[in-house]
């Protein structure tokens, strides 16, 4: 059976979905993750969905080349979670799209989302996604920051219901990064915030050179400095 080579980003998603039984891969694109889950990560069945018919065709073609039957991989043209219901999957993967879009997809079929593990990789809009999860009663049970191809990615896994805090000293409502990122990937999480702060400071320098101001950007930079100081004081004890 042909082995699928995954990027670090996709490997991280696959590891979180390992052994989940039935997985819904929403926005399956080329199908590499969907097929790898079945052939390498002990998943029994995948529903691979994409709004693009071309993506579904590519996914089915890859599955055939890898010897995966249509009984194990159902590829369908579908907008978001479509008509899926509780029991159709145990985990949902939503990756490579904006956080606001992920929240919109989950919110459109909240009953199904609440019945599953959510494995998410937002490209942007993570603040909006975290806000949605908190409002709708989801708790983050795993979070990681990784660097792949020179770019930072955040991977967030959540489920419906409350969970105990992992780090009582970490601000529970910080919108950019969750506490578990510093449990699982402390070096990468710190580097991510440092890079974000440098970006804020560069933009602020340009704003100030025009004798202007950007209160939201200044607030973000100050928030990052405050969290970084807290993290360093705790992790370097």
């Amino acid at each position: 059976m042909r082995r699928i080579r995954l990027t670090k980003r996709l490997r991280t998603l696959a590891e979180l979905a390992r052994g989940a039984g039935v997985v819904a891969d929403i926005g399956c694109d080329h199908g590499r993750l969907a097929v790898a889950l079945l052939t390498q990560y002990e998943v029994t069945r995948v529903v691979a969905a994409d709004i693009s018919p071309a993506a579904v065709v590519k996914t089915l073609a890859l599955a055939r080349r890898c010897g995966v039957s249509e009984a194990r991989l159902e590829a369908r043209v579908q907008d978001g979670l479509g008509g899926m219901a509780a029991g159709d999957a145990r985990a949902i993967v939503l990756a490579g799209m904006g956080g606001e879009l992920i929240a919109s997809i989950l919110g459109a079929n909240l009953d199904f989302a609440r019945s599953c593990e959510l494995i998410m990789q937002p490209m942007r809009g993570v603040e909006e996604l975290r806000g949605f999860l908190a409002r709708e009663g989801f708790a983050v049970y795993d979070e990681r920051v990784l660097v792949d191809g020179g770019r930072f990615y955040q991977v967030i896994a959540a489920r419906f219901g409350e969970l105990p805090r992992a780090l009582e000293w970490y601000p529970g409502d910080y919108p950019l990064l969750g506490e578990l990122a510093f449990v699982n990937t402390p070096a990468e999480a710190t580097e991510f915030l440092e890079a974000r702060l440098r970006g804020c400071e560069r933009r602020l320098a340009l704003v100030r050179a025009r004798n202007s101001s950007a209160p939201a950007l200044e607030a973000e930079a100050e928030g990052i400095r405050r969290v970084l100081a807290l993290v360093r004081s705790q992790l370097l004890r």
Side-chain angles (χ1 to χ4, degrees):
M1 184 175 287
R2 177 179 171 183
R3 186 174 181 84
I4 301 292
R5 294 185 63 184
L6 298 178
T7 62
K8 185 176 182 180
R9 177 179 70 94
L10 292 180
R11 284 200 308 274
T12 302
L13 297 169
E15 287 291 348
L16 286 168
R18 181 186 289 274
V22 182
V23 175
D25 181 11
I26 307 301
C28 61
D29 194 18
H30 39 54
R32 295 178 68 83
L33 177 62
V35 173
L37 286 172
L38 293 166
T39 58
Q40 296 155 222
Y41 290 90
E42 301 153 34
V43 169
T44 56
R45 185 168 174 270
V46 171
V47 178
D50 203 290
I51 199 169
S52 164
V56 172
V57 169
K58 286 190 291 183
T59 297
L60 286 172
L62 180 61
R64 284 192 294 270
R65 291 197 300 273
C66 294
V68 173
S69 71
E70 291 188 25
R72 296 189 67 207
L73 189 147
E74 179 188 354
R76 56 169 80 161
V77 178
Q78 177 177 294
D79 187 2
L81 299 178
M84 302 187 81
D88 288 349
R90 288 185 58 195
I92 305 169
V93 177
L94 292 144
M97 60 187 82
E100 289 179 280
L101 178 56
I102 293 174
S104 175
I105 289 171
L106 295 172
N109 195 342
L110 203 51
D111 287 342
F112 176 54
R114 285 175 171 163
S115 73
C116 295
E117 309 284 318
L118 309 180
I119 302 167
M120 301 161 285
Q121 182 269 297
M123 299 296 289
R124 57 196 167 276
V126 69
E127 301 95 326
E128 290 78 8
L129 177 58
R130 290 184 193 280
F132 167 84
L133 294 173
R135 287 193 305 275
E136 300 299 341
F138 292 93
V140 175
Y141 66 86
D142 201 316
E143 183 170 353
R144 307 173 193 187
V145 174
L146 58 103
V147 181
D148 192 356
R151 179 170 183 168
F152 286 103
Y153 294 96
Q154 294 184 62
V155 174
I156 302 168
R159 63 170 67 98
F160 185 63
E162 293 186 10
L163 291 171
R165 290 288 307 277
L167 299 172
E168 291 300 329
W169 53 265
Y170 191 82
D173 58 351
Y174 186 59
L176 290 180
L177 206 56
E179 58 185 16
L180 289 174
F182 288 97
V183 173
N184 297 322
T185 52
E188 294 86 348
T190 302
E191 290 169 9
F192 167 76
L193 285 184
E194 289 171 341
R196 182 94 176 209
L197 178 58
R198 288 193 296 272
C200 286
E201 289 173 339
R202 283 195 297 268
R203 284 179 285 159
L204 281 170
L206 293 173
V207 168
R208 290 163 181 158
R210 297 194 298 268
N211 293 318
S212 187
S213 64
L217 193 56
E218 290 170 357
E220 180 182 342
E222 182 54 36
I224 295 172
R225 291 188 194 99
R226 186 164 53 248
V227 170
L228 278 173
L230 185 59
V231 166
R232 288 165 180 153
S233 70
Q234 294 293 328
L235 295 184
L236 296 178
R237 281 181 171 180

